[in-house]
Amino acid sequence: MADKRVPDAGRRSERSRRAIYDAALALVGEVGYGRTTIEAIAARAGVGKQTIYRWWPSKAAVLLEAFIDLGGRAARDAGEQPAGFPDTGDLAADLKLVLRATVDELNDPATEAPTRALAAEGIVDPKLGAEFVEKLLEPSMRLYATRLRAAQEAGQVRAGVDPRIAVELLVAPLTHRWLLRTRPLTHAYADAVVDHALQGLSTGLPAGLSASETEQKGR
């Protein structure tokens, strides 16, 4: 008797979507964002370009979704639990661990090109930029802020410190060095950023007094 089962359209669509993700990420890494086109993504993925336009309005939107999926896929493949921030009670050690992982991710050839492309495109496309922040940056910033609030409650960070501003003191230097390629982005640099930032955040330094002023008073 002939098999009259209806093809699973959902499964076929998922295969096509996955192929499009992989094609977009590969092309950006190989030829750069500027030379990556919807037509090239479609050809690499083995789908019609109208399939892509039916799901996404632009190549930037394709790349953003592919990049978000890449992060989730890597976590699933590694059997990781939902993202969290370590809290060993040692704030400096916890921050250094996370910033070192950030350095590794930014330097990873598989993620560097799409991250740079999305950061640059988000500057000229406000809608994409807002989505980039909301879906990729904001969740991470909330984890940092939560860890810093816990440190405040433990008396390790001054009560008057704004956790969200403190997060920028930690993350912005890495982003600046990576985006502008001013100097190599290393674990040693991440550690130094934490050490310098905590000089101003910790309860060991009086509010409103800089590290240099404290050093001068001790002379």
Side-chain angles (χ1 to χ4, degrees):
M1 187 173 181
D3 187 347
K4 297 183 179 180
R5 287 178 297 178
V6 177
D8 189 336
R11 181 175 298 178
R12 185 171 63 249
S13 294
E14 181 59 25
R15 283 199 301 266
S16 296
R17 188 180 297 272
R18 183 75 56 206
I20 291 167
Y21 288 161
D22 292 343
L25 292 168
L27 284 168
V28 169
E30 292 170 12
V31 304
Y33 180 76
R35 296 177 62 184
T36 296
T37 63
I38 291 291
E39 289 77 10
I41 294 172
R44 173 72 68 94
V47 302
K49 67 178 183 179
Q50 290 307 317
T51 297
I52 296 179
Y53 281 122
R54 186 165 64 246
W55 292 336
W56 298 281
S58 66
K59 68 175 182 180
V62 177
L63 184 60
L64 177 60
E65 193 168 307
F67 191 67
I68 293 170
D69 177 78
L70 178 65
R73 213 187 320 172
R76 290 192 299 272
D77 291 345
E80 295 177 0
Q81 298 299 315
F85 205 107
D87 187 350
T88 65
D90 185 335
L91 179 60
D94 293 344
L95 291 173
K96 288 177 181 179
L97 180 66
V98 174
L99 284 186
R100 282 181 172 219
T102 300
V103 166
D104 291 341
E105 183 176 346
L106 291 174
N107 287 332
D108 186 343
T111 56
E112 181 176 13
T115 305
R116 287 187 181 279
L118 289 168
E121 191 67 15
I123 294 173
V124 297
D125 183 341
K127 183 178 180 181
L128 178 75
E131 193 172 0
F132 180 75
V133 170
E134 177 188 354
K135 294 183 177 180
L136 287 175
L137 299 185
E138 185 61 24
S140 176
M141 296 301 98
R142 285 198 295 266
L143 292 175
Y144 273 95
T146 297
R147 178 65 184 89
L148 289 169
R149 289 191 187 96
Q152 279 182 317
E153 294 171 0
Q156 298 170 338
V157 171
R158 295 199 316 273
V161 168
D162 183 328
R164 290 307 300 260
I165 294 177
V167 170
E168 295 183 22
L169 295 177
L170 293 161
V171 176
L174 269 66
T175 305
H176 177 271
R177 178 172 285 206
W178 176 76
L179 278 174
L180 300 183
R181 296 187 174 99
T182 54
R183 298 181 69 182
L185 187 60
T186 64
H187 285 179
Y189 179 67
D191 291 351
V193 167
V194 171
D195 290 338
H196 281 71
L198 289 185
Q199 285 184 20
L201 298 175
S202 69
T203 52
L205 185 66
L209 193 62
S210 70
S212 61
E213 289 171 333
T214 301
E215 182 179 356
Q216 290 173 359
K217 284 180 176 291
R219 290 177 181 174

